[in-house]
């Protein structure tokens, strides 16, 4: 299995190399040269497999033997051993043919655990085999950081630096990161927004000369292919639980950086009968505007009660565009150059292709709060703000009532007590018992100016020999 850049000017890589590379040298994102395809009969034969067994079936073709099967299964088993629910990704019914896929049963209560527990173990395996040390650098709008830290905290060959926007993540999200005190973990609160954090990470990947000799940066954001790959699995898991592949399934996905829903797109390309994918956005609605109006323009970031989706530039959208434009790297390079000016427009052909599978909807905070209240009133099921956006988007954009609609629950409501209180709950939702003392734990983090040289100097002083 080879991996190629969406912009067409970078060398192809093997699986292990692509895990360690992140952004391609030409600025593009790596994708498989070809996707594995599964027949309906093969998918049907997986019914009844455990989540871990199914993950091996889906992931193994992407690894293509670079990691022995027994070792790969071991990495998968280790990655999901820390999840609180034996089903790993349980389904809960909230309406007629409407289901919630609970992706918050991992150690940091967010869907990012599915990819980042696996990525942490995968990196540790590859680095030990190569006797190599690396620096992980990532930006987070709230959930990626804690999941990445949890995945990498015990890795001897990794120093991890996570940037989050200062005072713009929830208290629970911040403390999940800043109370991890291992020597290889470094949290930076950047005086800026998420896009500032992400731009700083991209700039550092573009010029790594600030690192000590022999070190390289590794990405944990969803630009890393291994994250997307791991997220494909739960689309197959949910579909099989609801009667697939004998009948189609639809999904609604709260969407910021487009990685989670892109995994659903890949699942369809690999043979899973997905009828519809609903892009659910908050007020930062560049993806909704693109699909509904062909308006992919940057606007000022709005800070919302669903902070993990407070993203204006959705990096993984480039991976979809690569397919929509016939996998023509030159076209994507030109499109991304156009976007640098602040806006781009899809060709008529690309837009038609996108709309065949994708629908979209936008919710502001007021509507989102009402959804949390309404769903709780009718079901006594408490949604987090991001999941509420996915549920309402599903209800507004659903094409067929006879096809199960699965709404991805991306975080536990305890991570966002402000939104829950505004929805009428008198008590904050309780943290799971393993996190009950979170607000009593010691914190450690640095508040730094939005200045690339300041951040890189801080990193230089904290990378272990």
């Amino acid at each position: 299995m080879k991996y190629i850049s969406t912009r067409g000017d970078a060398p192809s890589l093997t699986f292990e190399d692509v895990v360690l590379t992140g952004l391609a040298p030409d600025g593009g994102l790596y994708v498989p040269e070809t996707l594995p395809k599964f027949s309906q009969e093969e998918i049907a034969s997986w019914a009844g497999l455990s989540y871990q067994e199914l993950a091996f079936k889906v992931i193994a073709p992407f690894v293509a033997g670079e990691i022995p099967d027994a070792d790969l299964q071991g990495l998968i088993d280790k990655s999901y051993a820390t999840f609180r629910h034996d089903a790993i990704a349980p389904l809960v019914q909230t309406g007629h043919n409407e289901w919630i896929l609970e992706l918050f049963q991992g150690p940091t209560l967010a869907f990012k655990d599915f990819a980042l527990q696996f990525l942490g173990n995968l990196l540790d395996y590859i680095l030990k085999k190569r006797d190599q040390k690396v620096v992980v650098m990532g930006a987070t709008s709230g959930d990626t950081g804690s999941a990445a830290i949890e995945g990498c905290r015990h890795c001897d060959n990794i120093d991890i630096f996570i940037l989050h926007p200062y005072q713009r993540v929830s208290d629970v999200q911040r403390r999940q990161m800043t109370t991890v005190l291992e020597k290889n973990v470094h949290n930076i609160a950047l005086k800026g927004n998420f896009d500032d954090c992400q731009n700083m990470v991209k700039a550092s990947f573009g010029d790594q000369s600030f690192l000590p000799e022999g070190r390289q940066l590794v990405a944990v954001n969803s630009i890393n292919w291994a994250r997307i790959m791991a997220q494909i699995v739960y689309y197959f898991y949910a579909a099989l639980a609801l009667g697939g592949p004998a009948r189609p399934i639809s999904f609604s996905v709260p969407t910021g950086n487009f990685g989670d829903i892109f995994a659903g797109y890949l699942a369809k390309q690999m043979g899973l009968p997905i009828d519809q994918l609903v892009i659910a956005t908050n007020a930062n609605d560049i993806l909704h505007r693109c699909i509904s109006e062909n308006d992919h323009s940057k606007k000022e970031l709005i800070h919302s009660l669903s902070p993990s989706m407070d993203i204006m530039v959705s990096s993984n959208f480039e991976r979809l565009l690569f397919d929509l434009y016939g996998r023509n790297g030159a076209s994507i390079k030109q499109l991304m150059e156009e976007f640098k000016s602040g806006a781009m427009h899809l060709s008529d052909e690309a837009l038609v292709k996108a709309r065949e599978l994708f629908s979209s909807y936008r919710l502001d905070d007021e509507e989102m709060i009402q959804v949390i209240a309404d769903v709780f009133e009718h079901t006594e099921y408490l949604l987090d703000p991001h999941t509420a956006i996915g549920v309402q988007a599903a209800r507004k954009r659903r094409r067929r009532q006879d096809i199960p609609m699965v709404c991805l629950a991306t975080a536990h409501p305890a991570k966002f007590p402000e939104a829950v209180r505004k929805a009428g709950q008198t008590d904050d939702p309780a943290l799971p018992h393993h996190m009950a003392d979170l607000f009593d734990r010691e914190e450690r983090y640095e508040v730094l100016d939005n200045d690339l040289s300041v951040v890189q100097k801080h990193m230089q002083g904290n990378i272990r020999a």
Side-chain angles (χ1 to χ4, degrees):
M1 175 71 76
K2 292 290 186 181
Y3 292 83
I4 58 175
S5 169
T6 52
R7 301 192 190 179
D9 288 330
S12 61
L13 297 179
T14 63
F15 174 75
E16 287 193 1
D17 285 335
V18 88
V19 170
L20 295 176
T21 298
L23 273 177
D26 60 2
L29 302 180
Y30 278 106
V31 293
E33 194 169 42
T34 57
L35 275 179
K37 306 277 188 179
F38 303 122
S39 68
Q40 302 299 286
E41 293 75 20
E42 186 173 9
I43 296 170
S45 74
W46 298 341
L49 293 182
S50 70
Y51 191 91
Q52 295 90 326
E53 292 166 336
L54 179 64
F56 177 81
K57 297 286 189 183
V58 173
I59 290 171
F62 293 107
V63 177
E66 284 188 60
I67 297 172
D69 285 354
D71 289 355
L72 179 60
Q73 187 68 67
L75 290 172
I76 291 168
D77 291 344
K78 183 179 180 182
S79 299
Y80 299 110
T82 56
F83 278 57
R84 296 176 299 126
H85 198 296
D86 287 344
I88 310 300
L91 284 156
V92 176
Q93 189 167 10
T94 51
H96 171 65
N97 239 357
E98 177 186 277
W99 303 82
I100 303 291
L101 182 64
E102 292 189 340
L103 300 179
F104 52 73
Q105 300 290 347
T108 73
L109 315 183
F111 80 98
K112 308 289 177 77
D113 287 323
F114 279 85
L116 285 165
Q117 287 298 299
F118 176 68
L119 179 58
N121 288 315
L122 182 63
L123 284 172
D124 205 32
Y125 177 90
I126 294 171
L127 293 172
K128 283 179 179 175
K129 183 167 74 172
R130 297 185 175 198
D131 192 23
Q132 182 180 351
K133 292 185 176 182
V134 299
V135 177
V136 165
M137 185 181 186
T140 185
S141 56
D143 290 330
T144 294
S146 57
I149 287 168
E150 189 63 33
C152 295
R153 65 191 295 181
H154 301 301
C155 300
D156 293 334
N157 294 349
I158 294 174
D159 290 295
I160 180 168
F161 296 82
I162 297 295
L163 285 67
H164 72 266
Y166 181 50
Q167 296 182 334
R168 290 176 178 173
V169 299
S170 77
D171 288 345
V172 172
Q173 288 177 311
R174 185 191 75 249
R175 286 177 173 273
Q176 282 185 301
M177 297 185 285
T178 60
T179 58
V180 178
L181 304 180
E182 270 83 359
K183 291 181 179 179
N184 69 325
V185 174
H186 306 276
N187 282 286
I188 297 170
L190 192 74
K191 294 178 181 177
N193 59 36
F194 170 75
D195 285 336
D196 294 324
C197 297
Q198 185 159 261
N199 289 337
M200 197 166 288
V201 171
K202 287 182 177 179
S204 298
F205 271 85
D207 181 1
Q208 301 186 25
S209 59
F210 70 97
L211 293 174
E213 186 176 353
R215 299 293 172 91
Q216 70 176 74
L217 289 179
V218 170
V220 290
N221 285 52
S222 52
I223 60 172
N224 191 308
W225 166 254
R227 276 194 54 182
I228 303 293
M229 176 186 72
Q231 290 171 296
I232 298 169
V233 178
Y234 46 69
Y235 287 92
F236 280 88
Y237 188 74
L240 284 164
L242 294 173
R247 62 172 176 171
I249 312 288
S250 293
F251 293 88
S252 180
V253 188
T255 307
N257 219 11
F258 203 75
D260 203 9
I261 198 165
F262 182 68
Y265 164 81
L266 292 175
K268 180 176 175 65
Q269 304 307 114
M270 292 163 68
L272 192 66
I274 295 177
D275 180 69
Q276 181 184 9
L277 288 171
V278 181
I279 299 168
T281 77
N282 64 11
N284 298 292
D285 62 351
I286 189 170
L287 292 168
H288 167 61
R289 286 185 283 111
C290 183
I291 296 296
S292 61
E293 305 167 23
N294 200 10
D295 172 18
H296 196 273
S297 61
K298 298 176 188 176
K299 293 189 177 180
E300 188 173 348
L301 194 77
I302 298 169
H303 297 289
S304 76
L305 291 171
S306 50
S308 298
M309 296 160 67
D310 288 348
I311 297 171
M312 187 45 70
V313 179
S314 301
S315 297
N316 279 291
F317 196 53
E318 181 171 334
R319 284 181 160 125
L320 176 66
L321 292 173
F322 185 57
D323 278 7
L324 296 179
Y325 280 77
R327 311 205 107 204
N328 185 317
S331 295
I332 300 306
K333 187 175 182 180
Q334 182 179 343
L335 205 59
M336 292 300 111
E337 284 296 318
E338 181 186 334
F339 188 48
K340 282 183 181 178
S341 67
M344 69 181 182
H345 299 282
L346 275 57
S347 69
D348 291 344
E349 182 182 359
L351 194 61
V352 167
K353 285 182 185 176
R355 287 173 174 170
E356 287 175 0
L357 178 60
F358 293 97
S359 307
S360 66
Y361 191 75
R362 170 197 189 274
L363 271 75
D364 60 19
D365 279 349
E366 186 176 351
E367 189 177 1
M368 175 273 293
I369 289 166
Q370 190 60 51
V371 174
I372 295 176
D374 289 347
V375 170
F376 188 80
E377 181 180 350
H378 289 99
T379 66
E380 295 191 17
Y381 189 86
L382 187 59
L383 302 171
D384 98 288
H386 308 79
T387 307
I389 290 171
V391 168
Q392 185 71 344
R395 292 175 176 181
K396 292 291 187 179
R397 290 292 180 259
R398 189 171 184 173
R399 294 171 184 165
R400 291 178 55 181
Q401 295 294 322
D402 61 321
I403 291 176
M405 173 63 77
V406 178
C407 305
L408 272 56
T410 54
H412 193 289
K415 300 187 81 165
F416 305 97
E418 183 182 359
V420 170
R421 285 194 301 270
K422 286 180 181 289
Q425 295 293 312
T426 54
D427 297 319
D428 290 350
L431 287 163
H433 62 85
H434 79 279
M435 213 175 282
D437 66 341
L438 181 65
F439 282 82
D440 299 322
R441 299 175 189 173
E442 178 187 349
E443 284 192 271
R444 187 182 68 206
Y445 64 101
E446 296 290 332
V447 180
L448 298 180
D449 289 334
N450 187 6
D451 183 315
L452 182 62
S453 62
V454 169
V455 171
Q456 291 183 344
K457 185 176 181 181
H458 174 76
M459 293 176 65
Q460 286 173 333
N462 286 281
I463 295 171
R464 298 169 300 165

